Amino acid sequence: MSVYTSTLNGERHRFDSLARLLAAASPERSGDRLAGLAASSARERVAARWALAEVPLTAFLTEPVVPYETDEVTRLILDTHDPFAFAPVAGMTVGELREWLLSEAADARALAALAPGLTPEMTAAVSKLMGNADLVAVARKVSVVTAFRSTIGLPGRLATRLQPNHPTDDPAGVAAALLDGLLLGSGDAVIGINPATDSPKAVRDLLELLDGVITRYGIPTQSCVLSHVTTSVDLMARGAPVDLVFQSIAGTQAANASFGVTLGLLDEAYEAALSLGRGTVGQNVMYFETGQGSALSADAHHGVDQQTVEARAYAVARRYQPLLVNTVVGFIGPEYLYDGRQILRAALEDHFCGKLLGLPMGLDICYTNHADADDDDVATMLTMLGVAGASFVICTPGGDDIMLNYQSASYHDALYLREVLGLRPAPEFEAWLESIGLLDERGAIRDVSGTAGAHPLTAIGRELAA
């Protein structure tokens, strides 16, 4: 195991492993402090960054931060590494990679070609040397396009997940939130429900509810009930209308085991979903959620800082060519990301690392009520991630999820972001909105409040309530 050193103002700093160096170089966050991994001072953090800038990228291929022999995620990362894609940057250090990423040479085509040659640890390392503006500037250059019934990630587009959760999965409550979102132009990434229970019957009822609405109204989107992957596999075998298979994932084998997940199980679910052939414009069938701190909360982080472990989860996601990946960035709580500043930094890091690794990254820009954050933090994050080119964001009625009890972006927030940045919905969904009279001559959402009773979408509420 290598030792890394740097001297700052005459003081020599020593870091006994690559994992220790990465942790000390990380921006301050409460989770790393809780784990005893954070730099002891701002001086040590700067010294670690000086040392990290000199580390050759090849070191990440020879010194895994989690042992190869005991971790299937490490084996996935190293066994699938593409040396030909890596070749253009193989002679670089972490600091040199940063300079190249910010240069004009690193355009969209070059970054897409590089993605299979980067490991998650490389992207995490270079992010630690970048300011927030750097993370935005590089991520904005990356375009990752996926498709199922709508096309996600095209330049100039911003998709949304419509999240009509209800504490008891009551159809009338789901219908109200669903109608609200559709009338405000939300739902082109996915209509996704977090079920109140994971019982197969409850999940199937919600799947059939959403499938009925999508089919009846010809909505070019996909549904997902965010049950455990084993429930989805069982329901697909029984003929349930599963569009996307969902699973929360993490960056170590032990953390995934805490979710009841292995790569073998995800392989099975992926093949089952592909066999259904339910997509119309593409067959990206997986949906993954991640979040900094999940491995630490399961005591499965192996002494690795939470941002680096988070980036490793993207290697798991990349294996399955997902339609959607999002970091639920502030949901896990202030024990891991203390305030709005730390949540913003984590959001930009996650989005940057995911995009560099070739993933269609979105975000649940959110916070729990015991975090030191508020709606202004959501607005700031939403704006910066919109500029950075996020593929999609999650939206809830009024920005308040009444089932999961946390604060997120609202349907109106997505309209704000599309308007100020000149962004549009997914093309198939945009055409549908126009066909049902919800877009005005400027392409903005038309206010139908005065004639809501006559709008055909309002039948959704009446039908489901009945």
Side-chain angles (χ1 to χ4, degrees):
M1 188 173 293
S2 302
V3 174
Y4 302 89
T5 63
S6 67
T7 301
L8 190 65
N9 290 339
E11 181 181 0
R12 188 170 182 269
H13 296 263
R14 174 188 170 106
F15 307 94
D16 291 333
S17 68
L18 188 52
R20 174 67 194 127
L21 178 64
L22 289 166
S26 290
E28 176 70 21
R29 64 203 63 205
S30 53
D32 289 340
R33 187 69 59 192
L34 176 67
L37 299 174
S40 60
S41 65
R43 181 185 295 270
E44 184 183 40
R45 182 173 295 111
V46 171
R49 290 175 181 172
W50 276 108
L52 183 60
E54 298 300 319
V55 174
L57 293 178
T58 52
F60 296 95
L61 302 176
T62 59
E63 188 179 342
V65 296
V66 181
Y68 181 94
E69 297 75 16
T70 59
D71 189 89
E72 68 175 0
V73 178
T74 297
R75 293 193 291 273
L76 171 67
I77 291 168
L78 295 180
D79 293 351
T80 61
H81 179 254
D82 186 337
F84 299 102
F86 182 57
V89 299
M92 293 185 184
T93 64
V94 176
E96 289 168 340
L97 177 62
R98 175 190 180 274
E99 297 305 308
W100 181 80
L101 289 172
L102 290 166
S103 74
E104 291 185 4
D107 57 16
R109 179 175 296 182
L111 291 172
L114 177 63
L118 293 176
T119 69
E121 292 87 350
M122 292 175 193
T123 66
V126 75
S127 76
K128 298 175 195 298
L129 304 184
M130 301 180 110
N132 287 359
D134 298 333
L135 298 174
V136 170
V138 175
R140 183 174 177 81
K141 296 191 285 187
V142 181
S143 178
V144 181
V145 180
T146 57
F148 190 79
R149 292 194 195 102
S150 58
T151 305
I152 310 300
L154 292 168
R157 306 277 179 172
L158 174 73
T160 58
R161 170 183 159 187
L162 195 169
Q163 185 166 295
N165 292 346
H166 190 274
T168 63
D169 295 335
D170 176 62
V174 170
L178 177 57
L179 177 60
D180 186 24
L182 290 173
L183 288 172
L184 290 169
S186 188
D188 45 345
V190 64
I191 302 174
I193 300 176
N194 297 87
T197 77
D198 204 47
S199 77
K201 182 184 184 307
V203 172
R204 181 163 194 155
D205 287 347
L206 291 172
L207 284 169
E208 291 178 346
L209 182 156
L210 294 180
D211 186 63
V213 170
I214 289 171
T215 301
R216 189 176 308 119
Y217 293 92
I219 307 173
T221 190
Q222 35 284 328
S223 70
C224 186
V225 177
L226 282 67
S227 59
H228 192 268
V229 64
T230 53
T231 303
S232 296
V233 169
D234 177 65
L235 289 172
M236 284 188 285
R238 296 171 182 269
V242 175
D243 288 343
L244 304 183
V245 172
F246 167 82
Q247 184 56 49
S248 294
I249 55 173
T252 70
Q253 179 177 331
N256 283 323
S258 74
F259 291 143
V261 174
T262 64
L263 296 182
L265 179 57
L266 293 176
D267 289 346
E268 179 186 355
Y270 175 60
E271 294 300 330
L274 277 179
S275 71
L276 299 180
R278 291 175 60 85
T280 55
V281 296
Q283 291 297 330
N284 298 110
V285 296
M286 303 296 280
Y287 174 21
F288 296 113
E289 284 190 346
T290 68
Q292 288 193 29
S294 59
L296 175 57
S297 69
D299 194 23
H301 60 296
H302 296 274
V304 180
D305 70 274
Q306 66 183 41
Q307 188 246 335
T308 300
V309 175
E310 166 72 8
R312 285 168 53 91
Y314 305 152
V316 178
R318 182 166 62 174
R319 177 181 176 91
Y320 303 101
Q321 302 174 13
L323 179 75
L324 308 167
V325 179
N326 72 261
T327 167
V328 191
V329 68
F331 182 74
I332 200 166
E335 299 86 353
Y336 305 95
L337 296 169
Y338 179 74
D339 56 16
R341 180 177 179 178
Q342 291 188 13
I343 297 171
L344 170 61
R345 175 68 192 191
L348 294 172
E349 290 169 347
D350 295 352
H351 179 256
F352 166 88
C353 290
K355 289 286 272 305
L356 276 190
L357 292 168
L359 291 177
M361 287 300 294
L363 296 100
D364 192 348
I365 298 170
C366 61
Y367 63 93
T368 56
N369 289 319
H370 61 314
D372 187 8
D374 59 24
D375 287 348
D376 285 337
D377 292 306
V378 169
T380 300
M381 285 185 269
L382 190 71
T383 304
M384 290 196 73
L385 270 301
V387 175
S391 293
F392 70 102
V393 294
I394 289 179
C395 299
T396 60
D400 181 14
D401 191 302
I402 60 172
M403 196 274 276
L404 295 175
N405 290 313
Y406 77 113
Q407 309 305 307
S408 185
S410 71
Y411 306 136
H412 294 85
D413 290 331
L415 292 181
Y416 145 77
L417 196 60
R418 283 173 175 163
E419 167 134 9
V420 298
L421 297 181
L423 301 171
R424 295 156 58 193
E428 301 86 355
F429 195 80
E430 183 180 45
W432 176 76
L433 290 172
E434 185 173 13
S435 73
I436 63 170
L438 274 181
L439 293 185
D440 63 20
E441 59 280 356
R442 300 180 299 111
I445 294 296
R446 188 186 304 276
D447 182 6
V448 297
S449 57
T451 58
H455 196 279
L457 279 182
T458 60
I460 293 174
R462 294 192 297 271
E463 290 172 10
L464 296 185

